Every structure is written in structure tokens, then in C-alpha cells.
Amino acid sequence: MKKILTITIWSILLPAMVVAHSDSRSMEKEFNNYVVDLGLSGDKFLASETSQIDFSLLEKKSGKEIEFSDIWIRISKDGHTIMSTNVARPSVGKTILNLAFPSPGEYKVNLGFNKNEKRIVDGIFYLDVYGSDWQKEMLFYHNILIPGLVLALIALLFHRLTAKHKRSK
């Protein structure tokens, strides 16, 4: 009974842990004799919302997965580093990074795959991040509503001052 329960649990969990990618999109690029494959969550990345990237390193000729111990990752935008970290490869499943991009725009992702502190390959990807719905709302408030209220307040003060000035004559 215990053996059947263990097999049942593993048959449910294992496919979920060893999926090809985190969700629906994939980006592949060749670097030297390797292919770096990124699995990207969702249809597109939205600023200030959690995104997930999973990482695979494949041999270019055979397509066989290459073992690595960790990945050095630096994410930058407009020449400014947003994040720099090492992510260790887990013993089971994909190497995954969860993050929230701070603002819309193009982000540069530098990667370095390592095996026991020795660099295997470096790569660069560019990711597009779009504004989320609440950010579009905030832009409306920031660019239209707040300046409109400030102008209305100035007009009201001006009107009161000129009306007071006319009454005092």
C-alpha cells in the first residue's frame, strides 16, 4: 500500500516539477557550442507584477541538457543594474527566477552558466516589459488629473483674488 501511494504521489508531482517551461513562451539563443533556453511566464511581462523565468542550457549539436551548478544573472535597464544575483540549480526541476520588473521598457539580461565555480558560457537576452493596467491608471492621474486639479485651484485662487480686489474698490 505504501509503495502504491509513493508511486501515485511521484506520478503526479514529477511531471509538474520537470515541465519544459514555466508557462507558455520560450526564447532560445546560441552562444558558442551551447543553446540557452529561457522559459517565460505568461503572454508578456507586465511591470510591477511577478514574472517567472526558467533556465536551461543545451548542447548545440545534440540538444542534450548540460549540467550546471548555478547561473549568474544581471538584469539592467538603460545602463543601470536593476538586479544582480546567483541562482543555484535545484536537485530536481528547473532553475527558476521570480521577479517583478519595476517599470515598462527593454531590459538586458546577462547570464553566466557555471559548473563548480567555472564558467561554461555567457549569454545576453533582451526582454520587453509592458505597463500594467494600474500603471496606466496612475499615468492618467499623474499626467492629466493632478495637473488639471492644480490648474483649477490656481484659477479659483486667481478668481477669488481678483473678485476681492474689485470689491475693495
Side-chain angles (χ1 to χ4, degrees), residues 131-167:
S132 61
D133 291 337
W134 74 267
Q135 282 184 318
K136 291 174 188 170
E137 265 183 51
M138 290 308 294
L139 283 175
F140 167 76
Y141 291 117
H142 184 265
N143 293 338
I144 296 171
L145 189 61
I146 293 173
L149 289 173
V150 169
L151 286 173
L153 185 61
I154 291 171
L156 180 64
L157 289 172
F158 182 74
H159 180 283
R160 284 187 162 261
L161 287 174
T162 54
K164 200 180 221 184
H165 181 68
K166 286 182 184 177
R167 276 188 270 156

PDB file of all heavy atoms in Angstrom, residues 131-167:
ATOM      1  N   GLY A 131       3.610  48.098 -19.556  1.00  0.00           N
ATOM      2  CA  GLY A 131       2.930  48.717 -18.419  1.00  0.00           C
ATOM      3  C   GLY A 131       1.692  47.925 -18.049  1.00  0.00           C
ATOM      4  O   GLY A 131       0.976  47.441 -18.919  1.00  0.00           O
ATOM      5  N   SER A 132       1.434  47.794 -16.771  1.00  0.00           N
ATOM      6  CA  SER A 132       0.230  47.093 -16.314  1.00  0.00           C
ATOM      7  C   SER A 132      -0.943  48.071 -16.294  1.00  0.00           C
ATOM      8  O   SER A 132      -0.772  49.280 -16.408  1.00  0.00           O
ATOM      9  CB  SER A 132       0.458  46.483 -14.936  1.00  0.00           C
ATOM     10  OG  SER A 132       0.754  47.487 -14.005  1.00  0.00           O
ATOM     11  N   ASP A 133      -2.148  47.533 -16.145  1.00  0.00           N
ATOM     12  CA  ASP A 133      -3.353  48.371 -16.164  1.00  0.00           C
ATOM     13  C   ASP A 133      -3.341  49.422 -15.070  1.00  0.00           C
ATOM     14  O   ASP A 133      -3.704  50.568 -15.295  1.00  0.00           O
ATOM     15  CB  ASP A 133      -4.610  47.500 -16.030  1.00  0.00           C
ATOM     16  CG  ASP A 133      -4.833  46.651 -17.273  1.00  0.00           C
ATOM     17  OD1 ASP A 133      -4.322  47.033 -18.350  1.00  0.00           O
ATOM     18  OD2 ASP A 133      -5.509  45.616 -17.169  1.00  0.00           O
ATOM     19  N   TRP A 134      -2.898  49.047 -13.851  1.00  0.00           N
ATOM     20  CA  TRP A 134      -2.923  50.037 -12.768  1.00  0.00           C
ATOM     21  C   TRP A 134      -1.893  51.130 -13.031  1.00  0.00           C
ATOM     22  O   TRP A 134      -2.078  52.268 -12.630  1.00  0.00           O
ATOM     23  CB  TRP A 134      -2.735  49.384 -11.403  1.00  0.00           C
ATOM     24  CG  TRP A 134      -1.346  48.918 -11.091  1.00  0.00           C
ATOM     25  CD1 TRP A 134      -0.829  47.691 -11.297  1.00  0.00           C
ATOM     26  CD2 TRP A 134      -0.292  49.706 -10.526  1.00  0.00           C
ATOM     27  NE1 TRP A 134       0.481  47.648 -10.904  1.00  0.00           N
ATOM     28  CE2 TRP A 134       0.843  48.875 -10.423  1.00  0.00           C
ATOM     29  CE3 TRP A 134      -0.183  51.024 -10.104  1.00  0.00           C
ATOM     30  CZ2 TRP A 134       2.052  49.321  -9.921  1.00  0.00           C
ATOM     31  CZ3 TRP A 134       1.026  51.447  -9.598  1.00  0.00           C
ATOM     32  CH2 TRP A 134       2.119  50.604  -9.503  1.00  0.00           C
ATOM     33  N   GLN A 135      -0.791  50.799 -13.726  1.00  0.00           N
ATOM     34  CA  GLN A 135       0.189  51.831 -14.053  1.00  0.00           C
ATOM     35  C   GLN A 135      -0.389  52.820 -15.068  1.00  0.00           C
ATOM     36  O   GLN A 135      -0.116  54.007 -15.003  1.00  0.00           O
ATOM     37  CB  GLN A 135       1.462  51.209 -14.605  1.00  0.00           C
ATOM     38  CG  GLN A 135       2.335  50.620 -13.538  1.00  0.00           C
ATOM     39  CD  GLN A 135       3.629  50.094 -14.096  1.00  0.00           C
ATOM     40  OE1 GLN A 135       3.647  49.471 -15.144  1.00  0.00           O
ATOM     41  NE2 GLN A 135       4.702  50.341 -13.384  1.00  0.00           N
ATOM     42  N   LYS A 136      -1.197  52.313 -16.004  1.00  0.00           N
ATOM     43  CA  LYS A 136      -1.842  53.202 -16.974  1.00  0.00           C
ATOM     44  C   LYS A 136      -2.800  54.141 -16.254  1.00  0.00           C
ATOM     45  O   LYS A 136      -2.898  55.316 -16.588  1.00  0.00           O
ATOM     46  CB  LYS A 136      -2.569  52.384 -18.036  1.00  0.00           C
ATOM     47  CG  LYS A 136      -1.611  51.639 -18.942  1.00  0.00           C
ATOM     48  CD  LYS A 136      -2.335  50.725 -19.889  1.00  0.00           C
ATOM     49  CE  LYS A 136      -1.332  49.860 -20.626  1.00  0.00           C
ATOM     50  NZ  LYS A 136      -1.953  48.796 -21.383  1.00  0.00           N
ATOM     51  N   GLU A 137      -3.509  53.599 -15.237  1.00  0.00           N
ATOM     52  CA  GLU A 137      -4.383  54.439 -14.421  1.00  0.00           C
ATOM     53  C   GLU A 137      -3.588  55.517 -13.699  1.00  0.00           C
ATOM     54  O   GLU A 137      -3.991  56.671 -13.648  1.00  0.00           O
ATOM     55  CB  GLU A 137      -5.110  53.589 -13.370  1.00  0.00           C
ATOM     56  CG  GLU A 137      -6.467  53.137 -13.778  1.00  0.00           C
ATOM     57  CD  GLU A 137      -7.136  52.371 -12.653  1.00  0.00           C
ATOM     58  OE1 GLU A 137      -7.189  52.873 -11.508  1.00  0.00           O
ATOM     59  OE2 GLU A 137      -7.599  51.260 -12.944  1.00  0.00           O
ATOM     60  N   MET A 138      -2.450  55.131 -13.128  1.00  0.00           N
ATOM     61  CA  MET A 138      -1.610  56.087 -12.413  1.00  0.00           C
ATOM     62  C   MET A 138      -1.094  57.171 -13.354  1.00  0.00           C
ATOM     63  O   MET A 138      -0.988  58.332 -12.974  1.00  0.00           O
ATOM     64  CB  MET A 138      -0.442  55.381 -11.724  1.00  0.00           C
ATOM     65  CG  MET A 138      -0.858  54.526 -10.550  1.00  0.00           C
ATOM     66  SD  MET A 138      -1.873  55.392  -9.334  1.00  0.00           S
ATOM     67  CE  MET A 138      -0.731  56.582  -8.718  1.00  0.00           C
ATOM     68  N   LEU A 139      -0.769  56.801 -14.608  1.00  0.00           N
ATOM     69  CA  LEU A 139      -0.328  57.795 -15.583  1.00  0.00           C
ATOM     70  C   LEU A 139      -1.443  58.801 -15.851  1.00  0.00           C
ATOM     71  O   LEU A 139      -1.191  59.992 -15.998  1.00  0.00           O
ATOM     72  CB  LEU A 139       0.112  57.129 -16.884  1.00  0.00           C
ATOM     73  CG  LEU A 139       1.484  56.483 -16.854  1.00  0.00           C
ATOM     74  CD1 LEU A 139       1.757  55.754 -18.166  1.00  0.00           C
ATOM     75  CD2 LEU A 139       2.569  57.504 -16.593  1.00  0.00           C
ATOM     76  N   PHE A 140      -2.693  58.321 -15.906  1.00  0.00           N
ATOM     77  CA  PHE A 140      -3.823  59.228 -16.090  1.00  0.00           C
ATOM     78  C   PHE A 140      -3.882  60.224 -14.937  1.00  0.00           C
ATOM     79  O   PHE A 140      -3.974  61.436 -15.140  1.00  0.00           O
ATOM     80  CB  PHE A 140      -5.135  58.435 -16.180  1.00  0.00           C
ATOM     81  CG  PHE A 140      -6.359  59.306 -16.058  1.00  0.00           C
ATOM     82  CD1 PHE A 140      -6.767  60.087 -17.131  1.00  0.00           C
ATOM     83  CD2 PHE A 140      -7.092  59.352 -14.883  1.00  0.00           C
ATOM     84  CE1 PHE A 140      -7.881  60.905 -17.022  1.00  0.00           C
ATOM     85  CE2 PHE A 140      -8.199  60.158 -14.768  1.00  0.00           C
ATOM     86  CZ  PHE A 140      -8.597  60.942 -15.836  1.00  0.00           C
ATOM     87  N   TYR A 141      -3.782  59.722 -13.716  1.00  0.00           N
ATOM     88  CA  TYR A 141      -3.825  60.605 -12.551  1.00  0.00           C
ATOM     89  C   TYR A 141      -2.636  61.551 -12.539  1.00  0.00           C
ATOM     90  O   TYR A 141      -2.775  62.737 -12.272  1.00  0.00           O
ATOM     91  CB  TYR A 141      -3.846  59.803 -11.243  1.00  0.00           C
ATOM     92  CG  TYR A 141      -5.126  59.062 -11.023  1.00  0.00           C
ATOM     93  CD1 TYR A 141      -5.150  57.678 -10.953  1.00  0.00           C
ATOM     94  CD2 TYR A 141      -6.330  59.742 -10.887  1.00  0.00           C
ATOM     95  CE1 TYR A 141      -6.345  56.999 -10.756  1.00  0.00           C
ATOM     96  CE2 TYR A 141      -7.517  59.077 -10.694  1.00  0.00           C
ATOM     97  CZ  TYR A 141      -7.522  57.704 -10.629  1.00  0.00           C
ATOM     98  OH  TYR A 141      -8.697  57.040 -10.430  1.00  0.00           O
ATOM     99  N   HIS A 142      -1.474  61.017 -12.831  1.00  0.00           N
ATOM    100  CA  HIS A 142      -0.241  61.810 -12.781  1.00  0.00           C
ATOM    101  C   HIS A 142      -0.176  62.848 -13.894  1.00  0.00           C
ATOM    102  O   HIS A 142       0.229  63.985 -13.670  1.00  0.00           O
ATOM    103  CB  HIS A 142       0.955  60.868 -12.855  1.00  0.00           C
ATOM    104  CG  HIS A 142       2.260  61.558 -12.715  1.00  0.00           C
ATOM    105  ND1 HIS A 142       3.010  61.953 -13.790  1.00  0.00           N
ATOM    106  CD2 HIS A 142       2.958  61.940 -11.614  1.00  0.00           C
ATOM    107  CE1 HIS A 142       4.112  62.538 -13.367  1.00  0.00           C
ATOM    108  NE2 HIS A 142       4.112  62.545 -12.051  1.00  0.00           N
ATOM    109  N   ASN A 143      -0.568  62.494 -15.103  1.00  0.00           N
ATOM    110  CA  ASN A 143      -0.399  63.382 -16.261  1.00  0.00           C
ATOM    111  C   ASN A 143      -1.603  64.252 -16.568  1.00  0.00           C
ATOM    112  O   ASN A 143      -1.461  65.279 -17.225  1.00  0.00           O
ATOM    113  CB  ASN A 143      -0.059  62.561 -17.508  1.00  0.00           C
ATOM    114  CG  ASN A 143       1.297  61.919 -17.415  1.00  0.00           C
ATOM    115  OD1 ASN A 143       2.152  62.362 -16.664  1.00  0.00           O
ATOM    116  ND2 ASN A 143       1.495  60.858 -18.163  1.00  0.00           N
ATOM    117  N   ILE A 144      -2.796  63.848 -16.141  1.00  0.00           N
ATOM    118  CA  ILE A 144      -3.989  64.607 -16.515  1.00  0.00           C
ATOM    119  C   ILE A 144      -4.739  65.134 -15.295  1.00  0.00           C
ATOM    120  O   ILE A 144      -4.961  66.340 -15.163  1.00  0.00           O
ATOM    121  CB  ILE A 144      -4.925  63.736 -17.382  1.00  0.00           C
ATOM    122  CG1 ILE A 144      -4.217  63.390 -18.702  1.00  0.00           C
ATOM    123  CG2 ILE A 144      -6.243  64.437 -17.657  1.00  0.00           C
ATOM    124  CD1 ILE A 144      -4.916  62.372 -19.545  1.00  0.00           C
ATOM    125  N   LEU A 145      -5.124  64.250 -14.405  1.00  0.00           N
ATOM    126  CA  LEU A 145      -5.994  64.650 -13.300  1.00  0.00           C
ATOM    127  C   LEU A 145      -5.302  65.601 -12.323  1.00  0.00           C
ATOM    128  O   LEU A 145      -5.844  66.662 -12.004  1.00  0.00           O
ATOM    129  CB  LEU A 145      -6.497  63.401 -12.564  1.00  0.00           C
ATOM    130  CG  LEU A 145      -7.582  63.654 -11.525  1.00  0.00           C
ATOM    131  CD1 LEU A 145      -8.814  64.253 -12.181  1.00  0.00           C
ATOM    132  CD2 LEU A 145      -7.943  62.360 -10.818  1.00  0.00           C
ATOM    133  N   ILE A 146      -4.138  65.265 -11.850  1.00  0.00           N
ATOM    134  CA  ILE A 146      -3.447  66.114 -10.865  1.00  0.00           C
ATOM    135  C   ILE A 146      -3.099  67.483 -11.456  1.00  0.00           C
ATOM    136  O   ILE A 146      -3.412  68.514 -10.848  1.00  0.00           O
ATOM    137  CB  ILE A 146      -2.220  65.394 -10.273  1.00  0.00           C
ATOM    138  CG1 ILE A 146      -2.700  64.203  -9.437  1.00  0.00           C
ATOM    139  CG2 ILE A 146      -1.366  66.342  -9.435  1.00  0.00           C
ATOM    140  CD1 ILE A 146      -1.616  63.299  -8.924  1.00  0.00           C
ATOM    141  N   PRO A 147      -2.487  67.565 -12.669  1.00  0.00           N
ATOM    142  CA  PRO A 147      -2.242  68.906 -13.234  1.00  0.00           C
ATOM    143  C   PRO A 147      -3.537  69.689 -13.464  1.00  0.00           C
ATOM    144  O   PRO A 147      -3.574  70.905 -13.247  1.00  0.00           O
ATOM    145  CB  PRO A 147      -1.544  68.615 -14.563  1.00  0.00           C
ATOM    146  CG  PRO A 147      -0.923  67.278 -14.388  1.00  0.00           C
ATOM    147  CD  PRO A 147      -1.860  66.527 -13.487  1.00  0.00           C
ATOM    148  N   GLY A 148      -4.603  68.984 -13.846  1.00  0.00           N
ATOM    149  CA  GLY A 148      -5.894  69.656 -14.034  1.00  0.00           C
ATOM    150  C   GLY A 148      -6.416  70.243 -12.737  1.00  0.00           C
ATOM    151  O   GLY A 148      -6.917  71.375 -12.697  1.00  0.00           O
ATOM    152  N   LEU A 149      -6.298  69.477 -11.654  1.00  0.00           N
ATOM    153  CA  LEU A 149      -6.739  69.982 -10.350  1.00  0.00           C
ATOM    154  C   LEU A 149      -5.889  71.164  -9.884  1.00  0.00           C
ATOM    155  O   LEU A 149      -6.412  72.131  -9.317  1.00  0.00           O
ATOM    156  CB  LEU A 149      -6.701  68.863  -9.308  1.00  0.00           C
ATOM    157  CG  LEU A 149      -7.760  67.776  -9.457  1.00  0.00           C
ATOM    158  CD1 LEU A 149      -7.491  66.642  -8.465  1.00  0.00           C
ATOM    159  CD2 LEU A 149      -9.148  68.351  -9.253  1.00  0.00           C
ATOM    160  N   VAL A 150      -4.595  71.095 -10.123  1.00  0.00           N
ATOM    161  CA  VAL A 150      -3.700  72.204  -9.747  1.00  0.00           C
ATOM    162  C   VAL A 150      -4.082  73.457 -10.531  1.00  0.00           C
ATOM    163  O   VAL A 150      -4.178  74.558  -9.963  1.00  0.00           O
ATOM    164  CB  VAL A 150      -2.221  71.817  -9.969  1.00  0.00           C
ATOM    165  CG1 VAL A 150      -1.313  73.026  -9.857  1.00  0.00           C
ATOM    166  CG2 VAL A 150      -1.796  70.737  -8.983  1.00  0.00           C
ATOM    167  N   LEU A 151      -4.314  73.326 -11.846  1.00  0.00           N
ATOM    168  CA  LEU A 151      -4.722  74.483 -12.654  1.00  0.00           C
ATOM    169  C   LEU A 151      -6.071  75.038 -12.191  1.00  0.00           C
ATOM    170  O   LEU A 151      -6.260  76.261 -12.124  1.00  0.00           O
ATOM    171  CB  LEU A 151      -4.788  74.104 -14.130  1.00  0.00           C
ATOM    172  CG  LEU A 151      -3.447  73.938 -14.828  1.00  0.00           C
ATOM    173  CD1 LEU A 151      -3.649  73.405 -16.241  1.00  0.00           C
ATOM    174  CD2 LEU A 151      -2.692  75.256 -14.866  1.00  0.00           C
ATOM    175  N   ALA A 152      -7.008  74.152 -11.865  1.00  0.00           N
ATOM    176  CA  ALA A 152      -8.312  74.602 -11.371  1.00  0.00           C
ATOM    177  C   ALA A 152      -8.158  75.350 -10.048  1.00  0.00           C
ATOM    178  O   ALA A 152      -8.803  76.383  -9.824  1.00  0.00           O
ATOM    179  CB  ALA A 152      -9.248  73.408 -11.201  1.00  0.00           C
ATOM    180  N   LEU A 153      -7.299  74.862  -9.169  1.00  0.00           N
ATOM    181  CA  LEU A 153      -7.047  75.521  -7.894  1.00  0.00           C
ATOM    182  C   LEU A 153      -6.412  76.901  -8.111  1.00  0.00           C
ATOM    183  O   LEU A 153      -6.823  77.883  -7.475  1.00  0.00           O
ATOM    184  CB  LEU A 153      -6.149  74.651  -7.019  1.00  0.00           C
ATOM    185  CG  LEU A 153      -5.876  75.150  -5.610  1.00  0.00           C
ATOM    186  CD1 LEU A 153      -7.177  75.264  -4.818  1.00  0.00           C
ATOM    187  CD2 LEU A 153      -4.909  74.235  -4.895  1.00  0.00           C
ATOM    188  N   ILE A 154      -5.467  76.989  -9.021  1.00  0.00           N
ATOM    189  CA  ILE A 154      -4.842  78.292  -9.330  1.00  0.00           C
ATOM    190  C   ILE A 154      -5.875  79.247  -9.907  1.00  0.00           C
ATOM    191  O   ILE A 154      -5.929  80.424  -9.521  1.00  0.00           O
ATOM    192  CB  ILE A 154      -3.648  78.085 -10.294  1.00  0.00           C
ATOM    193  CG1 ILE A 154      -2.505  77.370  -9.568  1.00  0.00           C
ATOM    194  CG2 ILE A 154      -3.173  79.414 -10.877  1.00  0.00           C
ATOM    195  CD1 ILE A 154      -1.381  76.919 -10.474  1.00  0.00           C
ATOM    196  N   ALA A 155      -6.720  78.742 -10.822  1.00  0.00           N
ATOM    197  CA  ALA A 155      -7.764  79.590 -11.415  1.00  0.00           C
ATOM    198  C   ALA A 155      -8.742  80.072 -10.343  1.00  0.00           C
ATOM    199  O   ALA A 155      -9.153  81.247 -10.343  1.00  0.00           O
ATOM    200  CB  ALA A 155      -8.498  78.818 -12.507  1.00  0.00           C
ATOM    201  N   LEU A 156      -9.116  79.200  -9.417  1.00  0.00           N
ATOM    202  CA  LEU A 156     -10.025  79.578  -8.338  1.00  0.00           C
ATOM    203  C   LEU A 156      -9.401  80.644  -7.442  1.00  0.00           C
ATOM    204  O   LEU A 156     -10.051  81.639  -7.097  1.00  0.00           O
ATOM    205  CB  LEU A 156     -10.397  78.335  -7.508  1.00  0.00           C
ATOM    206  CG  LEU A 156     -11.346  78.553  -6.341  1.00  0.00           C
ATOM    207  CD1 LEU A 156     -12.710  79.015  -6.842  1.00  0.00           C
ATOM    208  CD2 LEU A 156     -11.475  77.291  -5.518  1.00  0.00           C
ATOM    209  N   LEU A 157      -8.118  80.451  -7.074  1.00  0.00           N
ATOM    210  CA  LEU A 157      -7.431  81.463  -6.259  1.00  0.00           C
ATOM    211  C   LEU A 157      -7.327  82.790  -6.995  1.00  0.00           C
ATOM    212  O   LEU A 157      -7.553  83.852  -6.407  1.00  0.00           O
ATOM    213  CB  LEU A 157      -6.040  80.958  -5.863  1.00  0.00           C
ATOM    214  CG  LEU A 157      -6.000  79.835  -4.830  1.00  0.00           C
ATOM    215  CD1 LEU A 157      -4.582  79.312  -4.677  1.00  0.00           C
ATOM    216  CD2 LEU A 157      -6.525  80.339  -3.494  1.00  0.00           C
ATOM    217  N   PHE A 158      -6.997  82.740  -8.259  1.00  0.00           N
ATOM    218  CA  PHE A 158      -6.905  83.958  -9.062  1.00  0.00           C
ATOM    219  C   PHE A 158      -8.261  84.659  -9.116  1.00  0.00           C
ATOM    220  O   PHE A 158      -8.354  85.882  -8.959  1.00  0.00           O
ATOM    221  CB  PHE A 158      -6.404  83.612 -10.474  1.00  0.00           C
ATOM    222  CG  PHE A 158      -6.229  84.809 -11.349  1.00  0.00           C
ATOM    223  CD1 PHE A 158      -5.163  85.675 -11.164  1.00  0.00           C
ATOM    224  CD2 PHE A 158      -7.147  85.088 -12.356  1.00  0.00           C
ATOM    225  CE1 PHE A 158      -5.000  86.780 -11.959  1.00  0.00           C
ATOM    226  CE2 PHE A 158      -6.999  86.200 -13.169  1.00  0.00           C
ATOM    227  CZ  PHE A 158      -5.922  87.050 -12.963  1.00  0.00           C
ATOM    228  N   HIS A 159      -9.316  83.878  -9.328  1.00  0.00           N
ATOM    229  CA  HIS A 159     -10.670  84.446  -9.387  1.00  0.00           C
ATOM    230  C   HIS A 159     -11.042  85.099  -8.059  1.00  0.00           C
ATOM    231  O   HIS A 159     -11.586  86.197  -8.024  1.00  0.00           O
ATOM    232  CB  HIS A 159     -11.670  83.340  -9.731  1.00  0.00           C
ATOM    233  CG  HIS A 159     -13.078  83.811  -9.822  1.00  0.00           C
ATOM    234  ND1 HIS A 159     -13.859  84.072  -8.714  1.00  0.00           N
ATOM    235  CD2 HIS A 159     -13.861  84.098 -10.897  1.00  0.00           C
ATOM    236  CE1 HIS A 159     -15.034  84.481  -9.087  1.00  0.00           C
ATOM    237  NE2 HIS A 159     -15.075  84.505 -10.417  1.00  0.00           N
ATOM    238  N   ARG A 160     -10.754  84.436  -6.943  1.00  0.00           N
ATOM    239  CA  ARG A 160     -11.066  84.993  -5.626  1.00  0.00           C
ATOM    240  C   ARG A 160     -10.275  86.278  -5.365  1.00  0.00           C
ATOM    241  O   ARG A 160     -10.801  87.232  -4.812  1.00  0.00           O
ATOM    242  CB  ARG A 160     -10.784  83.980  -4.526  1.00  0.00           C
ATOM    243  CG  ARG A 160     -11.837  82.908  -4.448  1.00  0.00           C
ATOM    244  CD  ARG A 160     -11.578  82.058  -3.222  1.00  0.00           C
ATOM    245  NE  ARG A 160     -12.749  81.320  -2.872  1.00  0.00           N
ATOM    246  CZ  ARG A 160     -13.614  81.676  -1.926  1.00  0.00           C
ATOM    247  NH1 ARG A 160     -13.425  82.754  -1.228  1.00  0.00           N
ATOM    248  NH2 ARG A 160     -14.655  80.935  -1.659  1.00  0.00           N
ATOM    249  N   LEU A 161      -8.978  86.255  -5.735  1.00  0.00           N
ATOM    250  CA  LEU A 161      -8.158  87.450  -5.506  1.00  0.00           C
ATOM    251  C   LEU A 161      -8.652  88.615  -6.361  1.00  0.00           C
ATOM    252  O   LEU A 161      -8.717  89.742  -5.875  1.00  0.00           O
ATOM    253  CB  LEU A 161      -6.701  87.158  -5.827  1.00  0.00           C
ATOM    254  CG  LEU A 161      -5.958  86.278  -4.814  1.00  0.00           C
ATOM    255  CD1 LEU A 161      -4.559  85.945  -5.344  1.00  0.00           C
ATOM    256  CD2 LEU A 161      -5.858  86.978  -3.482  1.00  0.00           C
ATOM    257  N   THR A 162      -9.000  88.364  -7.625  1.00  0.00           N
ATOM    258  CA  THR A 162      -9.474  89.464  -8.473  1.00  0.00           C
ATOM    259  C   THR A 162     -10.857  89.942  -8.022  1.00  0.00           C
ATOM    260  O   THR A 162     -11.152  91.127  -8.046  1.00  0.00           O
ATOM    261  CB  THR A 162      -9.525  89.045  -9.959  1.00  0.00           C
ATOM    262  OG1 THR A 162     -10.300  87.867 -10.117  1.00  0.00           O
ATOM    263  CG2 THR A 162      -8.128  88.829 -10.499  1.00  0.00           C
ATOM    264  N   ALA A 163     -11.708  89.025  -7.553  1.00  0.00           N
ATOM    265  CA  ALA A 163     -13.037  89.404  -7.056  1.00  0.00           C
ATOM    266  C   ALA A 163     -12.891  90.221  -5.776  1.00  0.00           C
ATOM    267  O   ALA A 163     -13.592  91.212  -5.577  1.00  0.00           O
ATOM    268  CB  ALA A 163     -13.886  88.161  -6.813  1.00  0.00           C
ATOM    269  N   LYS A 164     -11.994  89.844  -4.892  1.00  0.00           N
ATOM    270  CA  LYS A 164     -11.752  90.572  -3.650  1.00  0.00           C
ATOM    271  C   LYS A 164     -11.203  91.971  -3.972  1.00  0.00           C
ATOM    272  O   LYS A 164     -11.560  92.952  -3.332  1.00  0.00           O
ATOM    273  CB  LYS A 164     -10.752  89.783  -2.800  1.00  0.00           C
ATOM    274  CG  LYS A 164     -10.747  90.123  -1.354  1.00  0.00           C
ATOM    275  CD  LYS A 164      -9.734  89.273  -0.644  1.00  0.00           C
ATOM    276  CE  LYS A 164     -10.255  88.801   0.671  1.00  0.00           C
ATOM    277  NZ  LYS A 164      -9.262  88.053   1.429  1.00  0.00           N
ATOM    278  N   HIS A 165     -10.291  92.013  -4.965  1.00  0.00           N
ATOM    279  CA  HIS A 165      -9.700  93.266  -5.379  1.00  0.00           C
ATOM    280  C   HIS A 165     -10.767  94.211  -5.947  1.00  0.00           C
ATOM    281  O   HIS A 165     -10.765  95.411  -5.662  1.00  0.00           O
ATOM    282  CB  HIS A 165      -8.588  93.019  -6.405  1.00  0.00           C
ATOM    283  CG  HIS A 165      -7.905  94.248  -6.857  1.00  0.00           C
ATOM    284  ND1 HIS A 165      -7.100  95.006  -6.027  1.00  0.00           N
ATOM    285  CD2 HIS A 165      -7.896  94.871  -8.064  1.00  0.00           C
ATOM    286  CE1 HIS A 165      -6.630  96.032  -6.714  1.00  0.00           C
ATOM    287  NE2 HIS A 165      -7.101  95.969  -7.953  1.00  0.00           N
ATOM    288  N   LYS A 166     -11.718  93.689  -6.731  1.00  0.00           N
ATOM    289  CA  LYS A 166     -12.804  94.505  -7.322  1.00  0.00           C
ATOM    290  C   LYS A 166     -13.737  95.017  -6.233  1.00  0.00           C
ATOM    291  O   LYS A 166     -14.227  96.130  -6.297  1.00  0.00           O
ATOM    292  CB  LYS A 166     -13.572  93.701  -8.348  1.00  0.00           C
ATOM    293  CG  LYS A 166     -12.820  93.510  -9.640  1.00  0.00           C
ATOM    294  CD  LYS A 166     -13.646  92.736 -10.644  1.00  0.00           C
ATOM    295  CE  LYS A 166     -12.843  92.463 -11.909  1.00  0.00           C
ATOM    296  NZ  LYS A 166     -13.597  91.677 -12.850  1.00  0.00           N
ATOM    297  N   ARG A 167     -14.044  94.217  -5.203  1.00  0.00           N
ATOM    298  CA  ARG A 167     -14.934  94.621  -4.126  1.00  0.00           C
ATOM    299  C   ARG A 167     -14.326  95.712  -3.255  1.00  0.00           C
ATOM    300  O   ARG A 167     -15.017  96.547  -2.687  1.00  0.00           O
ATOM    301  CB  ARG A 167     -15.293  93.420  -3.238  1.00  0.00           C
ATOM    302  CG  ARG A 167     -16.449  92.626  -3.810  1.00  0.00           C
ATOM    303  CD  ARG A 167     -16.913  91.574  -2.846  1.00  0.00           C
ATOM    304  NE  ARG A 167     -16.107  90.367  -3.166  1.00  0.00           N
ATOM    305  CZ  ARG A 167     -15.863  89.396  -2.350  1.00  0.00           C
ATOM    306  NH1 ARG A 167     -16.327  89.439  -1.121  1.00  0.00           N
ATOM    307  NH2 ARG A 167     -15.149  88.368  -2.699  1.00  0.00           N
TER     308      ARG A 167
END
